[in-house]
Amino acid sequence: MSPSAKENGSNGVSANGHDAVPDVAEVQLPQVEGEWTVGKVLDALPGDKPTEGTTSPLAFFHILEKLKTNKREGWRRFGINRGESISDHMYRMSLISMLAPPALASKLDMAKCMKMCLIHDMAESIVGDITPVDGVPKQEKSRREATTMDYITKGLLGNVDGGKVGEEIRAIWQEYEDSKTLESHYVHDIDKMELLLQMVEYEKRGDHKLDLGEFAYVKTRIVLPEIQAWADDLLKEWNAYWVGHEHVRGDKAVESSGVSAQKKAMQDDYYNKE
């Protein structure tokens, strides 16, 4: 039974005798018929549609809340329905980014890296978390996210402080997407490292009954040797946990991984944009 059901009871009355309130903690993004647009999503969401073109950042602040209420979708396929939110993921990434090994940190714009961690998934506030196995073509995913970032940074922030913050957010997001700078490579690697950490943490709480090993695939896509070293240490910890138990090895070739060739092809296609 969910916490809301326990608190609200089965008769529509809460424990304190007042009328029960609906579950407001999570807002599922709506499915859109036909061509996906920002407007269709906003029209279908509860509450008022954000006001564009004002000098106030309040509408932007409200949009950011959806990063707190929307979950990272990959875990849902394994029954983890109350897992991390998108903003949970980005918050830990930003802290991880501060711990760059000295030799790497000396080459990085660390402030930009922290901002990039907090910005890179911002479009998911409206697009949602599209995973490698969702069947959304890479170009369509990119179109939705770019359209959303234009809406946020120009429609909601275009007149806030002369549009300067919006322009910076849009430029940092694009730098991440283009994946040509050292900072963007670093943040892409941290994105994968954070996923691996969460994989191991969920599995350990699952007492060998939860196998998320297909996500270990992302280890093969880490570029920078310093982050590869972190991932190597983490997978040693992971392998020690699974000693004596069969488990999926997404970091291995298809023949020995337990991941289907079709799923691996989807993962390859998804991550080849980087």
Side-chain angles (χ1 to χ4, degrees):
M1 182 181 292
S2 69
S4 59
K6 290 178 181 177
E7 292 163 6
N8 295 343
S10 59
N11 59 356
V13 177
S14 64
N16 62 11
H18 297 295
D19 290 342
V21 298
D23 183 1
V24 297
E26 184 176 353
V27 180
Q28 292 287 337
L29 289 173
Q31 296 296 314
V32 169
E33 295 291 334
E35 182 181 9
W36 187 97
T37 68
V38 171
K40 286 180 180 179
V41 174
L42 296 177
D43 287 341
L45 284 171
D48 298 329
K49 194 171 180 178
T51 302
E52 297 183 50
T54 74
T55 58
S56 169
L58 285 180
F60 172 67
F61 296 163
H62 285 308
I63 284 292
L64 292 181
E65 193 249 357
K66 291 173 176 52
L67 295 170
K68 296 169 62 178
T69 59
N70 293 335
K71 301 297 185 181
R72 296 259 287 168
E73 289 295 331
W75 311 121
R76 288 188 190 271
R77 288 188 291 111
F78 294 86
I80 306 172
N81 293 318
R82 300 183 65 199
E84 61 171 340
S85 70
I86 297 164
S87 59
D88 291 336
H89 166 65
M90 294 195 293
Y91 172 74
R92 180 156 63 170
M93 278 182 62
S94 69
L95 291 181
I96 291 172
S97 76
M98 297 171 64
L99 276 295
L104 181 58
S106 65
K107 305 172 188 176
L108 292 166
D109 180 338
M110 294 298 290
K112 179 187 281 188
C113 290
M114 286 182 272
K115 289 179 181 180
M116 194 176 290
C117 288
L118 295 170
I119 289 169
H120 80 288
D121 279 343
M122 188 178 288
E124 293 181 10
S125 59
I126 295 174
V127 175
D129 180 23
I130 298 173
T131 74
V133 301
D134 287 339
V136 177
K138 180 169 54 180
Q139 288 183 331
E140 172 61 13
K141 178 179 183 291
S142 296
R143 182 191 73 82
R144 295 182 188 185
E145 292 177 346
T147 300
T148 297
M149 290 306 293
D150 285 341
Y151 164 76
I152 290 173
T153 59
K154 297 174 184 176
L156 300 185
L157 291 176
N159 289 330
V160 177
D161 192 21
K164 290 184 292 186
V165 174
E167 290 173 1
E168 181 186 16
I169 289 172
R170 186 64 174 79
I172 290 174
W173 180 84
Q174 193 63 56
E175 182 177 341
Y176 175 82
E177 287 294 300
D178 292 341
S179 193
K180 294 178 180 178
T181 63
L182 180 60
E183 284 78 11
S184 64
H185 294 161
Y186 179 52
V187 174
H188 274 291
D189 280 0
I190 292 173
D191 184 37
K192 297 173 181 66
M193 185 67 197
E194 204 285 327
L195 186 152
L196 291 171
L197 285 162
Q198 192 64 74
M199 175 193 79
V200 173
E201 290 153 359
Y202 280 150
E203 283 188 340
K204 284 186 174 181
R205 291 197 289 275
D207 192 26
H208 299 107
K209 298 179 179 66
L210 178 64
D211 190 342
L212 303 172
E214 72 175 55
F215 294 97
Y217 167 89
V218 301
K219 200 276 185 184
T220 68
R221 310 297 294 206
I222 291 175
V223 173
L224 298 175
E226 294 86 354
I227 314 307
Q228 287 175 346
W230 286 352
D232 286 340
D233 288 344
L234 178 64
L235 291 200
K236 288 176 185 176
E237 178 184 321
W238 182 52
N239 290 327
Y241 168 73
W242 282 107
V243 166
H245 300 267
E246 292 292 327
H247 71 108
V248 175
R249 288 296 305 265
D251 57 321
K252 299 295 184 182
V254 170
E255 296 78 21
S256 59
S257 69
V259 179
S260 70
Q262 180 184 21
K263 186 169 290 184
K264 186 175 185 299
M266 290 178 174
Q267 292 173 320
D268 287 338
D269 181 64
Y270 182 92
Y271 286 104
N272 276 343
K273 73 173 186 176
E274 299 177 4

